[in-house]
Amino acid sequence: MVAIRGTGVSSGIALGKLIYYKRKENTPNEKFALDSASELAKWKNASEKAKKQLAVLADRTRREVGDEAAELFETHQLMIDDLDYTERIASLIVENKKSAVTAVEIAGKEFSEMFVAMDDDYMKARSVDVIDISHRITDILCDNQSIFDLKGEQSIIVADDLTPSETVQLDKSLVIGFVLSEGNANSHTAILARTLGIPAIIGANTEWKDEYEGRQIMIDGSVGYIVIDPDDTTKEYLLKKQQEEKAVRTMLEKLKGCSDITLDGKEIKVYANITHPADIDAVIANDARGIGLFRSEFLYLESDDYPTEETQFEAYKYVVQRMNGQRVIIRTLDIGADKKIDYFGLENEVNPALGMRALRLCLSRPEIFKTQLRALYRASAYGKLSIMLPLVTSLWEVQEVKRMCDGVKKSLQKDMLPYDEHLEIGIMIETPAAVMIAPDLAKEVSFFSIGTNDLLQYTVALDRQSTAALDRFQDNKHPALLKMIKMTVDAAHDAGIWAGICGEIAADSSMTEVFLKMGVDELSVSPRAVLPVRNIVRQTVVEK
Ligand code: PEP
Ligand code: MG
């Protein structure tokens, strides 16, 4: 038996097979390859795939940006088939016995240098293009996809860290636990685990030996305890604890159907956070009174191309209809920072959490944003939908979105499509700038929802993705954060609107009373945390 310690970030006990999450390294670049026929076939296949990718890109760019920009990708498609370029690659493979990757790299470099040396500015500019198409082909040849097969068995995934897009691709019916050697409690992977109710542990920094793979592993997500090949006593102890946790759940289940009212009569909105329409079953099963945060970007993360207006409309409509008249707050796209999507083609930034993220991206790429806004407005005809904007820092951003919403409403009227005239727009307060200008922002919107995960990282200048080495500098209940929550709530109330919290701290039962006494009107938590929060709300006295 091997025992390992980490930090529990999603409670629950799981027993399954240990599977390492492996990313395929770039295939070590074999410079020489004697089997020319197979290398030629690999190269041709990759070139065809590259052309297909470019056709999709050209199509999308034409829709979103215009003809001129789209033509670049069409030129790239033609360049892949350019006779001189293809003959050079083929000759490097056949005559010089180069591997397909090396041949494409060499040809790309040679043609690029040749273009740079030309007098004509137009031809000079082609040097970047030839490098670009060569990279596209070598990327396909190196295939960076992860290799991963759970073989139909219930598995606990062990990884250094997982990105949100890796996490969404896992087969949730088989993954029953996560163990990460890095990670942070406020990272999106931890949030996802809590939303899905999957036990998870981070910071399990040990020597993960190859021989552990495939062995039995047991984890306790509430205390961060991991055992490989548990002996009978340990197994018995953990299974008993699992039974006790189940008994607590059964007690909490009795709160279904009960109101979220404090002992002195204040009604609190206890809502749920979701990342996917499929999470709605857990929301209903846990009797949340609404959805306080639907992280819509996960619809984008799990697809290979921008989800269309129709796809989004169907997803939002489904959630709104299932909530049957209860409030559903859908947060507009919050991509960037740790949530990367290849097809957005975002530049690599030195500091992406401070870069092209969330609302900034939406305002910079209005066509993508308008598609989402149209889908949201259309879905609003089917229930009580509100729109929420992430990462607001300035008043003008909100005003610009409101103007865009007016345009969307006009276009829907023209298309004779129904929408809710009373749809409310709210914002997330998750930057210190938003806290400081909250009194002005409050005049523009119908509600505030405090995103403490980001507000904390931007306030204490500590990355929410940080690892164990920074643990002692991370204080989830930092007095600065608590003061900011109070300032935000006061600003909201002065303007006659409500304020809630949808960051992870909202589910911390040791803080519920503090928040309610500050005047917080709403707590939006992962579905499984709804009943525990309700339990405390019902035992709290707000006024002294
Ligand atoms: C937050 O920042 O607190 C929040 C709720 O948004 P996300 O975790 O998705 O960034
Ligand atoms: Mg956030």
Side-chain angles (χ1 to χ4, degrees):
M1 181 173 104
V2 183
I4 301 159
R5 277 270 167 208
T7 307
V9 290
S10 178
S11 62
I13 287 162
L15 171 67
K17 190 168 159 184
L18 190 157
I19 298 284
Y20 286 129
Y21 185 80
K22 298 186 192 83
R23 292 179 192 93
K24 236 187 211 172
E25 301 293 324
N26 269 4
T27 332
N29 194 355
E30 300 282 351
K31 294 213 179 304
F32 292 94
L34 292 175
D35 185 355
S36 304
S38 133
E39 294 302 304
L40 277 176
K42 277 195 230 163
W43 159 58
K44 286 193 175 138
N45 191 14
S47 297
E48 285 313 309
K49 276 197 188 154
K51 282 192 283 179
K52 280 196 191 126
Q53 285 180 354
L54 287 162
V56 173
L57 268 176
D59 200 37
R60 194 193 303 150
T61 312
R62 174 154 291 113
R63 266 182 283 130
E64 285 162 11
V65 189
D67 282 342
E68 207 179 318
E71 275 161 22
L72 174 69
F73 298 115
E74 284 159 355
T75 312
H76 280 196
Q77 286 179 70
L78 295 175
M79 284 175 84
I80 288 181
D81 283 336
D82 176 86
L83 203 57
D84 292 337
Y85 178 68
T86 50
E87 276 180 356
R88 179 64 184 140
I89 295 172
S91 117
L92 283 162
I93 293 175
V94 176
E95 278 148 40
N96 301 62
K97 298 289 174 220
K98 298 286 183 203
S99 69
V101 179
T102 308
V104 175
E105 274 172 358
I106 295 176
K109 199 158 168 278
E110 285 176 358
F111 277 75
S112 155
E113 281 166 4
M114 187 182 83
F115 284 134
V116 169
M118 290 183 176
D119 281 341
D120 181 326
D121 279 349
Y122 176 82
M123 294 313 282
K124 264 196 207 309
R126 301 283 71 77
S127 88
V128 181
D129 296 324
V130 76
I131 291 289
D132 201 351
I133 59 163
S134 304
H135 278 167
R136 186 175 292 281
I137 299 171
T138 53
D139 275 354
I140 295 170
L141 281 166
C142 292
D143 183 10
N144 259 342
Q145 300 303 302
S146 61
I147 32 168
F148 204 61
D149 182 8
L150 300 181
K151 301 195 180 73
E153 291 175 82
Q154 296 225 305
S155 309
I156 294 178
I157 306 301
V158 177
D160 47 358
D161 203 354
L162 290 170
T163 66
S165 52
E166 285 170 334
T167 315
V168 291
Q169 281 164 34
L170 298 174
D171 180 348
K172 312 296 179 309
S173 62
L174 294 176
V175 175
I176 55 164
F178 291 114
V179 176
L180 306 181
S181 52
E182 295 166 16
N184 181 295
N186 286 335
S187 71
H188 283 99
T189 302
I191 291 172
L192 213 60
R194 285 191 287 272
T195 307
L196 297 167
I198 297 177
I201 295 172
I202 58 164
N205 195 359
T206 186
E207 188 196 346
W208 287 97
K209 298 184 180 155
D210 287 349
E211 69 207 50
Y212 295 161
E213 175 129 47
R215 296 193 4 207
Q216 206 176 48
I217 175 171
M218 206 164 183
I219 61 173
D220 179 349
S222 47
V223 293
Y225 185 52
I226 303 153
V227 263
I228 299 167
D229 290 337
D231 59 21
D232 288 347
T233 323
T234 311
K235 222 191 249 183
E236 209 177 294
Y237 166 77
L238 286 175
L239 289 175
K240 188 160 165 268
K241 189 170 171 201
Q242 194 176 40
Q243 287 311 317
E244 286 162 6
E245 285 181 357
K246 275 199 185 129
V248 173
R249 274 311 296 178
T250 312
M251 186 275 287
L252 288 170
E253 301 271 312
K254 299 208 174 85
L255 293 174
K256 285 188 192 168
C258 295
S259 60
D260 296 312
I261 300 184
T262 62
L263 283 176
D264 52 342
K266 174 164 181 190
E267 178 148 20
I268 306 297
K269 300 174 181 43
V270 180
Y271 288 171
N273 293 347
I274 63 168
T275 54
H276 194 278
D279 298 335
I280 198 77
D281 291 333
V283 174
I284 293 169
N286 286 283
D287 193 34
R289 296 287 137 75
I291 291 178
L293 167 66
F294 176 174
R295 293 179 161 96
S296 68
E297 58 275 8
F298 282 83
L299 289 176
Y300 294 69
L301 270 165
E302 66 176 18
S303 89
D304 294 331
D305 198 354
Y306 297 106
T308 60
E309 178 182 318
E310 216 49 37
T311 309
Q312 293 189 60
F313 165 63
E314 289 300 335
Y316 305 147
K317 177 175 147 199
Y318 171 75
V319 173
V320 165
Q321 284 184 322
R322 291 281 312 271
M323 286 307 282
N324 208 7
Q326 289 176 314
R327 190 193 294 271
V328 176
I329 300 176
I330 304 186
R331 176 183 66 196
T332 57
L333 182 63
D334 182 358
I335 219 69
D338 62 324
K339 285 174 280 186
K340 301 238 162 33
I341 304 185
D342 288 348
Y343 62 80
F344 273 74
L346 293 177
E347 302 269 320
N348 273 339
E349 293 169 299
V350 178
N351 206 341
L354 302 184
M356 190 50 94
R357 193 196 147 177
L359 192 57
R360 295 172 188 170
L361 177 66
C362 289
L363 291 175
S364 308
R365 312 264 283 260
E367 290 315 314
I368 299 172
F369 196 31
K370 274 187 205 151
T371 304
Q372 180 171 44
L373 291 176
R374 261 183 73 98
L376 288 167
Y377 268 93
R378 283 176 59 194
S380 72
Y382 297 85
K384 191 171 180 187
L385 185 153
S386 308
I387 292 178
M388 180 157 78
L389 310 174
L391 210 80
V392 168
T393 54
S394 300
L395 199 60
W396 69 263
E397 295 166 336
V398 180
Q399 289 163 339
E400 190 163 319
V401 175
K402 284 169 72 183
R403 277 195 296 277
M404 287 173 82
C405 288
D406 289 340
V408 164
K409 285 194 264 182
K410 280 203 189 100
S411 76
L412 292 177
Q413 283 159 14
K414 212 164 115 226
D415 298 343
M416 313 261 275
L417 290 168
Y419 63 88
D420 176 10
E421 309 255 356
H422 305 291
L423 180 152
E424 291 184 349
I425 298 178
I427 56 169
M428 296 193 66
I429 299 289
E430 48 184 354
T431 61
V435 175
M436 299 314 287
I437 61 165
D440 297 322
L441 291 167
K443 291 182 198 134
E444 295 285 340
V445 296
S446 303
F447 60 90
F448 283 164
S449 183
I450 308 172
T452 46
N453 310 333
D454 277 314
L455 185 55
L456 181 67
Q457 81 162 341
Y458 294 126
T459 301
V460 299
L462 203 152
D463 190 346
R464 65 191 272 184
Q465 304 285 109
S466 67
T467 48
L470 286 165
D471 267 4
R472 75 191 179 105
F473 300 99
Q474 168 131 20
D475 175 3
N476 284 340
K477 301 171 192 170
H478 196 290
L481 179 72
L482 302 184
K483 270 193 183 172
M484 290 205 182
I485 294 175
K486 177 79 174 106
M487 283 169 75
T488 305
V489 172
D490 288 347
H493 291 175
D494 286 348
I497 63 170
W498 62 265
I501 303 177
C502 63
E504 293 306 293
I505 204 172
D508 180 340
S509 49
S510 68
M511 294 301 289
T512 312
E513 186 176 348
V514 175
F515 293 147
L516 299 192
K517 289 197 160 144
M518 283 182 183
V520 169
D521 305 289
E522 177 232 29
L523 292 167
S524 193
V525 297
S526 66
R528 273 181 76 79
V530 165
L531 295 174
V533 170
R534 173 170 302 162
N535 191 28
I536 302 185
V537 166
R538 293 170 60 82
Q539 296 173 43
T540 302
V541 179
V542 177
E543 302 293 341
K544 287 216 187 90

